[in-house]
Amino acid sequence: MIELLAETGSTNADLISRLRDGDRVGEGNWLVADRQISGRGRQGRSWFDGSGNFMGSTVVRCLAQDPPAASLAFCVALAVYEAVLPYLPTPADLALKWPNDLMLGGAKLSGILLEREGDAVVVGVGVNLAAAPDLPDRRTTSISMVAPAPNRDHFAKMLADRFAVELDRWRTFGLGPLTRRWMAAAHPVGTPLKVHPPGEEAIEGAFAGLTEDGALMLRLPEGRIRTIHAGDVMLAREEG
């Protein structure tokens, strides 16, 4: 089910509030807004709410036998990748960036925010369908820059369907097959990256793949591999 709102502060915040009020928000239900006035991204950033873009959230109920909840980032990223792909004239320009950004021609197309609330994870997704923000530190893009902008409601249905499939795969087959599929959709090994680990200066290196638990492996200039569990990652050509 997809519930549509003309305007709200944040679809993630709305679902978190419902969960705290005891509402048993079911998996497969999405809350989608025409406009968000307080949309949030990773690391406290605001999220652009351009008209015609997709801004929505859903809930995953964590089960004891599920893979680690943090690995949902890869599950969601693959769902967004699969939902966007049919709208592009040149699919090869689309690539995932760790852990869950979707890049089109080296510029950011979408963002994902996961927030834990009790036994649930609220999954927020923003995709630039019709317009992209002008950011000082990175390049951004929208589908409309390379093809006709998808109908927002049609895209919402596509994404909901793809996420249901990916969520079932995540639960059925676990993290290994998921990260292998993520790697196949990501920028190539050897891609130059700049990483800002929490509380540290930025470090530069080359993408060297993922660990078994989904952490980023960064090959430093001297050849040593550093494992990154958290941080802001940018492609060299992404910087504005």
Side-chain angles (χ1 to χ4, degrees):
M1 183 185 79
I2 298 175
E3 179 183 347
L4 301 178
L5 300 174
E7 181 177 296
T8 190
S10 157
T11 54
N12 260 36
D14 288 349
L15 288 185
I16 289 172
S17 178
R18 292 183 187 186
L19 290 168
R20 289 176 178 172
D21 289 343
D23 187 339
R24 293 294 299 177
V25 181
E27 289 189 353
N29 294 335
W30 283 78
L31 190 62
V32 176
D34 294 340
R35 183 164 187 258
Q36 288 189 136
I37 59 175
S38 304
R40 306 191 306 282
R42 292 181 65 244
Q43 301 186 9
R45 297 187 184 94
S46 60
W47 182 257
F48 177 66
D49 71 336
S51 177
N53 288 346
F54 176 85
M55 295 157 284
S57 302
T58 189
V59 167
V60 175
R61 297 284 180 175
C62 298
L63 308 176
Q65 66 271 27
D66 284 346
S71 64
L72 276 168
F74 300 103
C75 177
V76 184
L78 281 166
V80 178
Y81 178 91
E82 294 291 347
V84 166
L85 209 54
Y87 297 103
L88 301 181
T90 311
D93 287 343
L94 193 67
L96 293 172
K97 184 190 73 172
W98 190 86
N100 53 27
D101 282 344
L102 189 59
M103 313 298 292
L104 180 60
K108 185 167 180 173
L109 180 68
S110 75
I112 294 165
L113 177 65
L114 305 183
E115 297 184 279
R116 188 70 183 254
E117 182 60 35
D119 70 345
V121 174
V122 176
V123 176
V125 178
V127 184
N128 299 330
L129 304 180
D134 184 14
L135 299 180
D137 63 337
R138 69 190 64 206
R139 295 172 53 227
T140 60
T141 191
S142 64
I143 293 177
S144 66
M145 292 183 178
V146 297
N151 175 273
R152 196 280 312 275
D153 292 349
H154 184 272
F155 180 83
K157 178 65 167 58
M158 175 85 78
L159 178 57
D161 290 345
R162 293 310 311 169
F163 183 60
V165 170
E166 296 299 341
L167 186 62
D168 181 67
R169 288 174 173 168
W170 176 74
R171 285 194 165 125
T172 302
F173 302 111
L175 187 53
L178 184 72
T179 54
R180 287 193 291 273
R181 291 182 56 235
W182 187 95
M183 282 287 297
H187 49 72
V189 168
T191 298
L193 300 177
K194 179 184 285 188
V195 182
H196 294 256
E200 297 184 37
E201 294 294 322
I203 54 177
E204 296 187 12
F207 179 54
L210 303 177
T211 64
E212 289 185 0
D213 62 355
L216 173 70
M217 293 193 296
L218 186 71
R219 186 177 298 279
L220 302 179
E222 69 271 21
R224 179 170 62 90
I225 298 290
R226 174 161 174 185
T227 300
I228 306 291
H229 294 280
D232 194 20
V233 178
M234 293 184 70
L235 304 175
R237 60 180 178 148
E238 180 185 355
E239 294 185 278

